[in-house]
Amino acid sequence: MPEGSSNSGRRWTAAAIAIMAALWFCYAGSKHALGSHFAASSNSQDWERAARIEPDNAEIWYRLGRFRQLDFDNADLPLAISYYRRAIQLNPRSPYYKLDLASTLEMAGDNSEADSNFRAAQAAYPIFRRSILEIWEFSSSSEPLARSVRGNSPCGNG
């Protein structure tokens, strides 16, 4: 009889573990579904709600940063910078997050940190290394802009 009772105890333990795992997966799936629902909204307040529900989702923080950077009515560059930094902290391999952080830092007047973030984005995404470098140097230097306005651009427009 002791053999049957230990087998019964193992079954109850396995059943309890399976039920707890199922409950955990239901909770995690529901949380992710709710966060995804709010993240897919066109309302920025829903994005903030999604960031509270899923704080480890870099894409949500990136979207919040873009909104705060590009919102013409209520632009908040320091908040956008903090959102971009959070996105980069969660996904350090994304060159898009670093490029947008660099452009926001440049808008805020912090050109040295903007340049270091641009260089980090360039290193993270070597496929577009040359074109990104040309765009950045064109936008952050007045001489290429002056040459293009004068008509003797190195792009062959003049």
Side-chain angles (χ1 to χ4, degrees):
M1 207 63 161
E3 189 175 312
S5 65
S6 70
N7 196 12
S8 175
R10 287 184 185 158
R11 283 187 208 155
W12 280 106
T13 303
I17 291 172
I19 290 170
M20 290 181 68
L23 289 173
W24 171 253
F25 286 128
C26 286
Y27 166 74
S30 299
K31 182 179 172 184
H32 179 70
L34 187 62
S36 296
H37 168 74
F38 287 124
S41 173
S42 61
N43 185 354
S44 66
Q45 293 173 348
D46 287 342
W47 299 341
E48 292 172 359
R49 189 179 296 171
R52 284 192 304 271
I53 293 170
E54 284 193 293
D56 293 336
N57 188 334
E59 187 64 28
I60 295 171
W61 292 106
Y62 173 70
R63 187 178 296 175
L64 281 168
R66 292 219 15 122
F67 173 73
R68 289 295 171 200
Q69 176 190 3
L70 302 175
D71 182 16
F72 295 117
D73 295 331
N74 301 311
D76 190 351
L77 294 181
L79 188 58
I81 290 168
S82 70
Y83 287 154
Y84 283 138
R85 285 187 174 142
R86 175 71 176 146
I88 291 169
Q89 179 185 14
L90 294 170
N91 184 3
R93 292 188 196 112
S94 174
Y96 303 108
Y97 300 172
K98 293 173 186 175
L99 279 174
D100 284 343
L101 174 61
S103 71
T104 307
L105 287 166
E106 185 180 34
M107 288 171 66
D110 191 353
N111 291 334
S112 63
E113 191 174 351
D115 189 56
S116 68
N117 277 285
F118 165 74
R119 301 285 176 196
Q122 183 184 20
Y125 204 43
I127 294 172
F128 293 122
R129 183 170 283 176
R130 183 171 179 220
S131 60
I132 289 173
L133 180 63
E134 290 170 357
I135 290 168
W136 184 260
E137 288 177 349
F138 182 82
S139 70
S140 60
S141 171
S142 61
E143 181 56 32
L145 182 59
R147 278 197 312 245
S148 68
V149 170
R150 285 193 308 259
N152 53 2
S153 168
C155 300
N157 295 341

